[in-house]
């Protein structure tokens, strides 16, 4: 979901916003998107894809093979999810705008919401978003590619529940699907790789964006993430091998995601830029 202003900044900031409004109205008339109007002052319009729109978009080459996110099927369902989803959209927009300012590459389809990652037993890890970001000039081929899972927390759950997400990501980091078929041998079991390696050359960074509370609440959440390493060896190993960072949403909006606003979960006293951290 996105507000009209967010959509305008994402797809066509160089033209007048009235043109974006006309484009959205045309998509709505074609049954590809729908909207709700928020009751706050200004009566902000929020847009979301219909089931038909999702099926059409799923045929784009850039999205083939992607499992669609949980569908917001009607205005009632949209209203139930609007606060969190708009915050996720705003987070992605900050990375997109930052890349434009820096002359680097992060396009609208480089920010994918709710990408499904199975971890066995019918369970899955579903980040709020998966981010692709290419360092270096958009006209060059030599920039490094950064990938990150984003988790946006608006203080709607306790710090312990937030920290429990690290256990899920530790499971994803280790999960290797068992080989199927009648010819399972010790050799085939050893050849099976972790499931995430089918999609990424390196496990993506894990970025927590924290909002909905004041500095004390942010600090308690970062401390809870830091203390999660004591829960068990799987999480401790995960934190040694994967970079996990947390940043207040207010700092992200004020300074931009490339600034040194991120606290490494293993060393929360430090502040770093998410794109300059090469190892946990």
């Amino acid at each position: 979901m996105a507000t009209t202003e967010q959509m305008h900044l994402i797809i066509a900031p160089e033209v007048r916003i009235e043109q974006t409004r006309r484009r959205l109205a045309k998509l709505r008339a074609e049954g590809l998107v729908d909207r709700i109007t928020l009751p706050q002052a200004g009566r902000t319009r929020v847009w979301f894809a219909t089931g038909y729109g999702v099926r059409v978009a799923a045929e784009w080459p850039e999205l083939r093979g992607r499992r669609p996110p949980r569908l917001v099927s009607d205005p009632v369902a949209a209203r139930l999810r609007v606060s969190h989803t708009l915050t996720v959209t705003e987070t992605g927009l900050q990375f997109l705008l930052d890349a434009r300012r820096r002359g680097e590459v992060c396009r609208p389809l480089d920010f994918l919401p709710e990408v499904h990652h199975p971890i066995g037993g019918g369970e899955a890890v579903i980040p709020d978003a998966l981010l692709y970001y290419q360092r270096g000039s958009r006209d060059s081929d030599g920039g490094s590619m950064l990938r990150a899972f984003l988790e946006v927390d608006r203080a709607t759950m306790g710090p312990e529940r937030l920290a429990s997400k690290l256990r899920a990501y530790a499971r994803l980091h280790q999960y290797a699907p068992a080989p199927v078929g009648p010819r399972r041998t010790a050799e085939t079991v050893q050849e099976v790789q972790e499931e995430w390696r089918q999609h990424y050359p390196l496990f993506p960074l894990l970025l927590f964006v924290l909002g909905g509370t004041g500095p004390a609440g942010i600090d308690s959440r970062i401390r809870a993430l830091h203390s999660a390493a004591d829960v068990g060896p799987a999480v401790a190993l995960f934190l040694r091998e994967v970079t996990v960072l947390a940043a207040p949403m207010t700092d992200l909006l004020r300074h931009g995601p490339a600034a040194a606003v991120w606290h490494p979960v293993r060393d929360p006293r430090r502040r770093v830029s998410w794109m300059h951290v090469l190892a946990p």
Side-chain angles (χ1 to χ4, degrees):
M1 286 186 280
T3 66
T4 304
E5 183 179 7
Q6 286 173 333
M7 283 299 301
H8 178 66
L9 290 173
I10 290 169
I11 63 174
E14 70 283 354
V15 303
R16 293 171 59 86
I17 196 170
E18 286 75 17
Q19 185 169 328
T20 299
R21 292 193 180 105
R22 288 195 296 271
R23 289 175 174 175
L24 289 168
K26 184 173 186 293
L27 292 173
R28 188 180 187 220
E30 293 170 347
L32 293 163
V33 303
D34 203 351
R35 74 184 186 206
I36 59 174
T37 302
L38 301 184
Q40 296 95 326
R43 298 187 60 78
T44 300
R45 287 178 173 174
V46 177
W47 302 85
F48 59 94
T50 63
Y52 172 51
V54 169
R55 291 193 296 273
V56 170
E59 294 301 316
W60 297 348
E62 300 91 340
L63 297 180
R64 262 183 214 144
R66 295 285 185 187
R67 180 169 174 166
R70 289 171 294 174
L71 182 63
V72 177
S73 55
D74 56 51
V76 174
R79 290 183 191 280
L80 292 174
R81 297 184 56 192
V82 66
S83 295
H84 178 76
T85 308
L86 286 184
T87 305
V88 174
T89 302
E90 185 63 30
T91 303
L93 179 59
Q94 296 308 308
F95 285 92
L96 179 64
L97 296 177
D98 203 44
R100 289 174 183 168
R101 287 191 294 266
R102 298 168 60 86
E104 296 181 326
V105 182
C106 183
R107 301 184 179 91
L109 291 182
D110 290 331
F111 187 82
L112 300 172
E114 298 185 0
V115 177
H116 188 273
H117 297 81
I119 55 175
E123 298 181 79
V125 172
I126 306 176
D128 285 326
L130 167 65
L131 172 72
Y132 292 91
Y133 189 108
Q134 184 177 335
R135 299 293 313 277
S137 169
R138 60 173 55 94
D139 298 323
S140 67
D141 297 325
S144 60
M145 175 63 73
L146 301 176
R147 302 168 186 83
F149 294 134
L150 267 74
E151 290 286 348
V152 177
D153 171 61
R154 299 183 301 114
T156 55
M157 64 178 73
E160 293 78 13
R161 281 190 59 199
L162 173 66
S164 71
K165 289 179 177 286
L166 288 176
R167 291 197 292 272
Y169 279 98
R171 286 182 60 187
L172 173 61
H173 186 246
Q174 295 182 343
Y175 171 66
V180 296
R183 298 183 60 83
R184 292 177 58 182
T185 65
E187 289 77 13
T188 60
V189 171
Q190 289 178 350
E191 290 173 1
V192 174
Q193 288 188 325
E194 293 87 350
E195 197 274 341
W196 62 265
R197 294 186 188 276
Q198 300 178 30
H199 310 285
Y200 316 109
L202 297 171
F203 197 91
L205 309 176
L206 176 54
L207 306 180
F208 287 91
V209 178
L210 309 176
T213 185
I218 298 293
D219 288 345
S220 69
R221 279 166 154 66
I222 294 176
R223 287 198 305 271
L225 290 169
H226 174 69
S227 300
D230 300 328
V231 173
V235 174
L237 175 64
F238 174 71
L239 290 174
R240 285 196 300 270
E241 297 191 359
V242 177
T243 297
V244 182
L245 308 172
M249 185 66 168
T250 53
D251 288 352
L252 204 71
L253 295 173
R254 185 179 299 119
H255 304 292
V261 298
W262 300 91
H263 298 266
V265 165
R266 292 188 68 195
D267 186 4
R269 293 168 297 181
R270 294 175 57 207
R271 286 177 176 262
V272 299
S273 168
W274 79 280
M275 58 177 57
H276 294 147
V277 179
L278 301 181

